[in-house]
Amino acid sequence: MDELRILIARLGWPATSARWWTMQALAARLGDPAVCTATEHALLAYLRGRRLEIEVIEALCIFWMAARRHGYAPVAELSRSISKPSVLSNLFLADLGLPACAIDSDLCEVPQAFEIAGDFQGVQGVELPRIFQTTLSRLERQTDRPYVRQMAFEWERNRSVYQDTPMQGDVGHFIRPLGEGFHAHLSARAAQRAISAYLRTLAVAQHVWDQPQDLVREAALWALPIHPTLAFLKPERPTWMPLRNELIGEAASVEAELRRLVERVELTRPGDELIALRSPIEMTMGRCVELSLVRWLQAPGSRIAEGNLATYLEAFWDHGLTLRSLDTDPLCMSTPIESAPLTRLLDGKSRALPLAGTMDLARMGYLQYDLYPSHLLLPTLAGAARFDVAPFAAGLEIRSAETGLANYAYWNAGWGPVYPKQLSGNCGAALVSRGTGYRALRSGEGEAIRSFYLWRVRTLHRSDTYSAFSETTKSGTFFV
């Protein structure tokens, strides 16, 4: 019971990854016959005590994950335990086969004389991602309804829900002691209040302003705590990953170590290949080292010398290649991805194309922002118009026409929810092929094709523990 109480207490932690991992642990307990009853009883009691709409949705995510992964059968009491229903909570209930809750009670349109509070604008882009206000601003332009003012009004209304600590979990509390130039993936009380106000605004849009249900539901998906396809990812560091300090030195020594890394992957998984990797390698208060590595193909006819390839392709690290996800059911665990055409992939001067890109932001989980946008690695050559990404063990499986193309894994690589702004995240991610089908070109296009890795090592350093980090980068290529 002590373990259960600790897990439920962790649902209130502001660190996003900690809440996500706690949801996974509680979902697994719901699927364990030995502890299911006690866990279910405790979670239903927890659900009944939620005061904000988004707190209800996070609790429902646990039951949904348990049903989808661990064979849990939800009870009817789950619907009756919801005190703060929303469009999104009803979406989860429907997916679990339970009746929806009425959400048209206690709705009130923003008064004409209402003035937006300063702290509402202050949390935008700081405590809360701007996507919520941006979405409402777009709807406001389309419909001429006061969406943003309504959200600010709901923000003011739910201030009294936690009278003593309406702004618990201040971001600055976690960032300031570490010095200048840090970023944090946190979702504390202010973010929960703001997202709940966002969902209340959408309820007003549907039930007071008679806005289309599809429009409201689409906007509500931005408030998902977890991306359904990524819900079951668990941090597992591969055994072939390099150890700290192995990538410190001149470009030639870095290249030699990266060649050994590629060989270790092939020894661990015979017949498979490392497609892409991005991860912090060393994280200390004085120095941070991040490695990025992507495999490429090169066709004949390049006008760029081999020694200049890394410099010529430098823009790839800033812009990358985003692959578009296709429409699917909101809570579908598989995400279909549209393959990029060869004309988009192939660079004219270098005749090179990347074999990995990243997933777009069509569905996001605000507890999983550490993965976005540069750590959700996907293959670019699928051999079909589309491919699918779905949960597989602790990672993801990428399949095209029932053929496995690659596996995706991620792991925790930092020392908390805070990391230097220059880095792309606090986690590591790798994409490893299943065979060589992921780099097969269509007939007539694969003649004299060569393969190389484009790499970059970013090193941050400082001489004390309060200044901003200075940055140096090394990059290069090597053919295989």
Side-chain angles (χ1 to χ4, degrees):
M1 288 302 294
D2 288 341
E3 178 185 352
L4 180 57
R5 283 195 292 268
I6 291 171
L7 285 172
I8 290 179
R10 284 181 182 169
L11 293 175
W13 286 13
T16 54
S17 292
R19 290 227 296 280
W20 172 26
W21 298 335
T22 299
M23 288 177 181
Q24 292 177 336
L26 287 167
R29 288 178 62 96
L30 283 174
D32 183 350
V35 293
C36 174
T37 301
T39 304
E40 182 181 69
H41 178 78
L43 284 175
L44 289 173
Y46 173 81
L47 181 59
R48 286 191 290 270
R50 296 313 88 206
R51 307 179 192 179
L52 293 169
E53 284 76 6
I54 202 61
E55 291 178 325
V56 168
I57 292 165
E58 288 188 16
L60 286 178
C61 283
I62 300 170
F63 291 94
W64 179 86
M65 292 164 69
R68 291 292 164 264
R69 173 56 69 94
H70 303 290
Y72 169 74
V75 295
E77 189 180 348
L78 186 58
S79 293
R80 298 193 294 268
S81 300
I82 295 175
S83 59
K84 290 291 182 178
S86 64
V87 174
L88 206 50
S89 65
N90 280 343
L91 194 64
F92 277 100
L93 289 175
D95 200 69
L96 291 170
L98 296 174
C101 299
I103 57 176
D104 55 355
S105 61
D106 194 32
L107 296 178
C108 178
E109 189 172 7
V110 54
Q112 290 289 336
F114 174 75
E115 295 185 5
I116 297 178
D119 60 358
F120 173 77
Q121 295 295 353
V123 300
Q124 307 298 327
V126 181
E127 303 270 2
L128 180 76
R130 291 190 182 277
I131 186 61
F132 300 102
Q133 189 175 25
T134 300
T135 300
L136 294 185
S137 296
R138 175 176 53 81
L139 292 176
E140 195 166 297
R141 291 191 299 270
Q142 293 174 353
T143 64
D144 200 30
R145 294 286 188 176
Y147 278 89
V148 175
R149 292 184 72 249
Q150 184 70 42
M151 180 179 173
F153 177 61
E154 300 294 347
W155 161 269
E156 193 62 33
R157 291 183 74 192
N158 68 26
R159 184 185 300 275
S160 61
V161 168
Y162 291 98
Q163 291 184 356
D164 296 333
T165 55
M167 303 290 282
Q168 168 265 349
D170 175 47
V171 173
H173 171 80
F174 295 90
I175 293 180
R176 281 190 295 268
L178 298 176
E180 298 180 15
F182 281 84
H183 182 70
H185 286 305
L186 299 172
S187 180
R189 181 69 46 74
Q192 292 179 314
R193 286 180 50 215
I195 299 173
S196 297
Y198 174 83
L199 290 169
R200 291 277 298 179
T201 299
L202 295 178
V204 170
Q206 181 174 345
H207 296 284
V208 178
W209 299 337
D210 294 324
Q211 297 296 296
Q213 183 177 355
D214 289 346
L215 179 146
V216 170
R217 190 181 75 166
E218 181 180 354
L221 294 179
W222 288 114
L224 278 172
I226 53 173
H227 187 308
T229 299
L230 311 178
F232 306 102
L233 277 176
K234 291 186 177 180
E236 287 191 356
R237 183 185 176 94
T239 57
W240 45 258
M241 268 296 294
L243 301 176
R244 54 183 288 177
N245 298 329
E246 289 183 337
L247 299 178
I248 305 301
E250 299 301 319
S253 63
V254 172
E255 178 182 319
E257 178 55 38
L258 293 179
R259 286 185 180 274
R260 287 191 287 270
L261 168 65
V262 171
E263 292 170 0
R264 287 200 299 271
V265 175
E266 294 173 353
L267 285 173
T268 306
R269 296 181 48 161
D272 298 339
E273 298 171 346
L274 178 62
I275 306 175
L277 180 146
R278 176 164 282 185
S279 176
I281 302 301
E282 179 181 355
M283 293 286 280
T284 70
M285 293 299 290
R287 183 169 68 181
C288 302
V289 181
E290 181 186 57
L291 168 65
S292 301
L293 181 74
V294 175
R295 189 161 180 155
W296 290 61
L297 294 182
Q298 187 178 42
S302 171
R303 301 196 298 275
I304 306 297
E306 285 187 18
N308 297 329
L309 263 178
T311 302
Y312 177 75
L313 298 173
E314 185 70 25
F316 175 79
W317 298 121
D318 296 324
H319 305 293
L321 178 74
T322 302
L323 300 171
R324 189 172 75 90
S325 56
L326 304 174
D327 290 339
T328 186
D329 291 337
L331 298 182
C332 180
M333 290 168 55
S334 177
T335 298
I337 304 292
E338 182 181 56
S339 297
L342 193 61
T343 52
R344 182 185 170 203
L345 294 174
L346 188 65
D347 177 75
K349 290 186 69 176
S350 67
R351 301 290 292 164
L353 62 88
L355 290 171
T358 55
M359 187 186 294
D360 67 6
L361 309 181
R363 284 198 297 178
M364 297 179 68
Y366 65 78
L367 296 182
Q368 300 167 319
Y369 280 164
D370 205 26
L371 297 169
Y372 294 95
S374 59
H375 287 77
L376 290 175
L377 305 169
L378 297 174
T380 55
L381 291 178
R386 53 164 278 183
F387 60 91
D388 296 298
V389 183
F392 179 79
L396 301 174
E397 181 183 49
I398 295 90
R399 301 184 66 85
S400 175
E402 301 305 318
T403 300
L405 293 175
N407 293 112
Y408 171 90
Y410 108 106
W411 56 94
N412 184 40
W415 25 250
V418 180
Y419 61 90
K421 289 183 177 179
Q422 296 97 319
L423 299 187
S424 57
N426 224 4
C427 65
L431 187 67
V432 178
S433 75
R434 294 174 63 177
T436 59
Y438 79 97
R439 57 180 171 88
L441 293 174
R442 290 186 292 272
S443 177
E445 296 171 345
E447 298 178 4
I449 296 292
R450 300 199 301 167
S451 183
F452 67 90
Y453 282 96
L454 175 68
W455 61 267
R456 180 179 69 177
V457 174
R458 171 181 280 159
T459 302
L460 309 181
H461 46 86
R462 61 182 180 177
S463 57
D464 52 61
T465 58
Y466 52 85
S467 299
F469 281 98
S470 299
E471 176 182 345
T472 59
T473 60
K474 288 193 291 281
S475 61
T477 60
F478 61 92
F479 283 80
V480 290

